[in-house]
Amino acid sequence: DGLLKSALTTIDRAIELDRHSHEPHLIKGLIRGTSQRYDEALHAMRHAHELNPNDAWTLTCLVLGIINPRNVV
């Protein structure tokens, strides 16, 4: 739990530094999925996809999360 909290703090800082980069939002979604906070995970992944709709990995993670939220991780 401490590791996930630390990871979330780090990724939130990355988002503060560059809100327009899709990658930290995707990673935040993966962290939230690991924490079983699936709604927040999908929200972050949707935002990542909005920022860069051409990224195949983001789209893959998002689709798998929509099909089955437990697939987020």
Side-chain angles (χ1 to χ4, degrees):
D1 192 40
L3 259 164
L4 290 175
K5 186 175 182 178
S6 177
L8 192 57
T9 299
T10 301
I11 209 64
D12 283 341
R13 178 68 178 133
I15 291 170
E16 287 176 19
L17 293 172
D18 186 358
R19 293 195 177 278
H20 301 290
S21 175
H22 75 284
E23 291 152 330
H25 293 279
L26 175 62
I27 294 168
K28 185 173 186 172
L30 294 172
I31 293 168
R32 289 297 192 193
T34 300
S35 303
Q36 297 180 349
R37 298 176 77 159
Y38 303 121
D39 289 341
E40 294 173 34
L42 289 175
H43 176 77
M45 289 182 183
R46 282 187 177 106
H47 188 64
H49 179 65
E50 290 170 4
L51 291 171
N52 186 357
N54 297 317
D55 184 67
W57 182 242
T58 300
L59 184 58
T60 299
C61 291
L62 176 59
V63 167
L64 289 174
I66 290 170
I67 292 170
N68 181 356
R70 293 176 189 232
N71 285 333
V72 168
V73 292

